[in-house]
Structure formats: structure tokens, C-alpha cells
Amino acid sequence: MKPGPLALSLGDPAGIGPEIVVKAWNELRRGGPPFLVVGDYQALASASGGGASILRQVVAPAEALDVFETALPVLNLPLKTPVVAGQPSAAAAPAVIKWIETAVGLALSGAVAGVVTAPIAKAPLYDAGFKFPGHTEFLGELTASERFDGARGPVMMLIAGDLRVALVTVHTPLAQVPGQLSTEAIVNVGKVTAEALSRDFGIAKPRLAVAGLNPHAGESGGIGREEIEIVAPAVRALVDLGIDATGPYPADSLFPEAMRANYDAAICLYHDQALIPVKMLDFWGGVNVTLGLPIVRTSPDHGTAFDIAGRGLARADSLIAAIRLADQLAKARAA
């Protein structure tokens, strides 16, 4: 039996999602990982230079394998009202949420090999009553009742080149980060990351480097005690679990090439500590991966870019990289 295609949820249809999905299909349709889009057929037709002629509606994921080389397969779950590129609306939120739920359901059923999510805008979703900070947390909820033999996420990992970073706090205001850090949270992220590196990335003995919170990793308590009271105990606990973990390291010296050679993933404590080095290393091609779930999920490492939506300017590099990585991870799990 052929492995199933990937399911790609369209994201916010007023953003660059439809455009980069079409561009990704054009790049990958000959020899690349096959995928079907879960979204609105008309939004994709409007974004495609060839109009509806390059699209093909499908009713089952398996159909995508037969048509992918010649047409972009679409599982059409239409919007209730039309969208205008660059103009986000809460009216589209129910459909955006439904597309994500459907893609995840297909993955949980085994009909697709994994999920790739195009960018969503959080504000229109919040206006419609969406209660999750973002994709990552929503995916954790959607898969919470499913069996998973391993340390449970969701844990956000970003990848750019040879750099992998996993986050302990994600969409947390900076002022709230110290209060949300705990030894237990860092240990769980370390466990999830080490297991994912072994299971999904084929790294037999993963090495983790844990970042500190404060400048100079607290300078032995002189400029902050979180490293002494929270982070260092977490590193010791990970070592006691048999995980090769070291730190805490000053974040400003953790990411140069010479340092990256010493670890397979860095555990970062807050959003920008992780994302700034990723985007400096590969601004266009970074990928977001959700670890610790019973399904494979990746996404591009950028937002909806409403300011350029509908103008043909969006680059699909990150989405293409996310599709390729989802295919790689799905094959690793299948093996």
C-alpha cells in the first residue's frame, strides 16, 4: 500500500497562504512529496496564475496521489463568505478552524501521513472566540485523547540549517516568562525533544544544550537566580534520566557555528531567545515542528503577511521546507 499524502491546511485565506501553497505545488509536483490542500477551492483558484485549471477537487486523500503531478488536489471545505486578500476577517475563522481540525482528523485516522499548516492570524480567530494562543496549543488539544507512546507535548521546535531549538514557553509575554518557568517544564521539554530527535530524526544519542534566562546565565546568581533555582536542577534531572544534557549556557554564546557542533538541539526558555537565531541563520527557510504528538506536524516559520497578500510577492521557501520535512518525519515514523 502506498503511504498517504500529506494534508496541508490553508491557513488564513486573506493572507499569503493560498499563494505560497500554489507556489509550493509548482515546485514539488514532479518528484516532491504529494499533498492535498484542506481549504477553500475558490481562494486557491483566485491565488493561482492558472486559475481553476490547475486545481482538482478530491473527496478522499488517496485521490491526491493520482492527480498531484498534474493538478493541485483540494479537499474543498468552502468559506461562507468571500475573502479579500490582505483583509483578514473573523467571518473566515470558523472555516480556518475547521480546516485544521479536518487535517488533524485525517492524520489521526491514518488517511494522510502528516499535517502541514499554512499561517493563521490569531487576532481574527480570537475575535471569533478561539481560545488557544496558536496552532501548537490547538494541535495539543485536538490530539490529547489519542494514544502516544512517549513524552507528551506539544513542544514547539524551530529548525534552520543545522540549528534546532525547542521552546519551554512559547506565546508568553516576556514579563510573564520567569513566573511560568519551572524545573518540571524544562525537564518535560527536554524529554520530548530527546525522544523526538531519536524517533523522528534518527539521532541515536541526542545531545541537548539548555540556555539560561538571564545575561551571562545569571553570573552565579549575581544577576538572577533562575539558573540556580530552576534551570540547573532541570539539567541535572535530565542527566539522571539518561539524557545527554548540559547547561545552563549564556544565550548570547550558544548559537555560533562552533557551539552548534556540540549539541543536536538547544532548549530555549522563551520565544525570541529561540527564534532570533533561527531567523538570522535562515530567514526564508526556517521550519516549525510540533514535537510530542501522535501525528507529524510542520509549518512555515512566518506569518500571514497581509501587507503583501494578493500581490504575487510571497516566497514559498519555508512552506516547501516544511512539506519536505513533514515527509521525512512521516517516513521515519513509518519505518
Side-chain angles (χ1 to χ4, degrees):
M1 178 183 295
K2 286 184 180 180
L6 300 167
L8 199 163
S9 60
L10 187 58
D12 193 306
I16 61 172
E19 178 184 340
I20 61 175
V21 166
V22 172
K23 289 180 176 178
W25 172 76
N26 271 311
E27 176 71 21
L28 298 171
R29 65 193 184 98
R30 292 187 177 91
F35 61 87
L36 75 154
V37 183
V38 181
D40 181 80
Y41 182 92
Q42 188 56 49
L44 282 163
S46 299
S48 64
S53 63
I54 69 166
L55 307 179
R56 183 77 56 83
Q57 288 197 47
V58 297
V59 296
E63 296 176 47
L65 300 174
D66 297 325
V67 305
F68 186 74
E69 187 171 320
T70 57
L72 174 56
V74 183
L75 184 63
N76 186 32
L77 300 177
L79 292 156
K80 299 295 184 184
T81 57
V83 296
V84 177
Q87 299 182 22
S89 170
V96 173
I97 293 167
K98 183 66 174 178
W99 299 338
I100 300 167
E101 292 172 337
T102 300
V104 170
L106 290 172
L108 290 172
S109 74
V112 299
V115 174
V116 182
T117 58
I120 58 174
K122 298 175 183 62
L125 296 180
Y126 296 158
D127 290 343
F130 189 68
K131 63 180 181 179
F132 300 93
H135 259 130
T136 300
E137 298 84 358
F138 187 36
L139 291 165
E141 176 71 18
L142 291 176
T143 59
S145 63
E146 299 296 320
R147 178 179 173 180
F148 181 64
D149 296 327
R152 195 71 185 227
V155 167
M156 179 184 287
M157 172 178 277
L158 285 301
I159 301 175
D162 65 346
L163 175 62
R164 304 181 189 92
V165 293
L167 283 73
V168 178
T169 66
V170 184
H171 300 112
T172 302
L174 188 58
Q176 298 175 20
V177 167
Q180 291 198 15
L181 290 177
S182 68
T183 297
E184 293 75 18
I186 297 170
V187 169
N188 187 65
V189 170
K191 289 168 58 180
V192 170
T193 302
E195 289 183 9
L197 290 173
S198 177
R199 177 186 58 245
D200 298 336
F201 292 85
I203 300 172
K205 296 181 179 179
R207 301 164 300 164
L208 305 182
V210 183
L213 176 68
N214 297 295
H216 304 181
E219 197 75 74
S220 300
I223 46 178
R225 294 194 56 81
E226 285 86 357
E227 287 76 12
I228 293 172
E229 297 174 358
I230 298 173
V231 186
V235 174
R236 291 193 295 270
L238 288 168
V239 171
D240 289 344
L241 291 169
I243 295 171
D244 184 350
T246 54
Y249 294 106
D252 63 355
S253 60
L254 185 55
F255 303 107
E257 184 177 5
M259 284 296 291
R260 298 199 304 270
N262 297 319
Y263 59 82
D264 299 301
I267 307 301
C268 296
L269 305 184
Y270 59 93
H271 185 277
D272 285 9
Q273 187 181 68
L275 271 74
I276 288 173
V278 165
K279 294 190 177 184
M280 287 291 292
L281 191 62
D282 188 354
F283 182 79
W284 298 111
V287 178
N288 180 348
V289 187
T290 307
L291 310 180
L293 297 182
I295 63 170
V296 168
R297 180 263 176 158
T298 66
S299 76
D301 180 26
H302 60 70
T304 50
F306 292 123
D307 57 324
I308 62 169
R311 298 169 58 192
L313 302 176
R315 292 178 56 160
D317 308 47
S318 186
L319 179 60
I320 291 168
I323 293 167
R324 292 190 186 279
L325 182 60
D327 178 61
Q328 173 190 325
L329 299 181
K331 288 176 177 175
R333 286 202 180 186

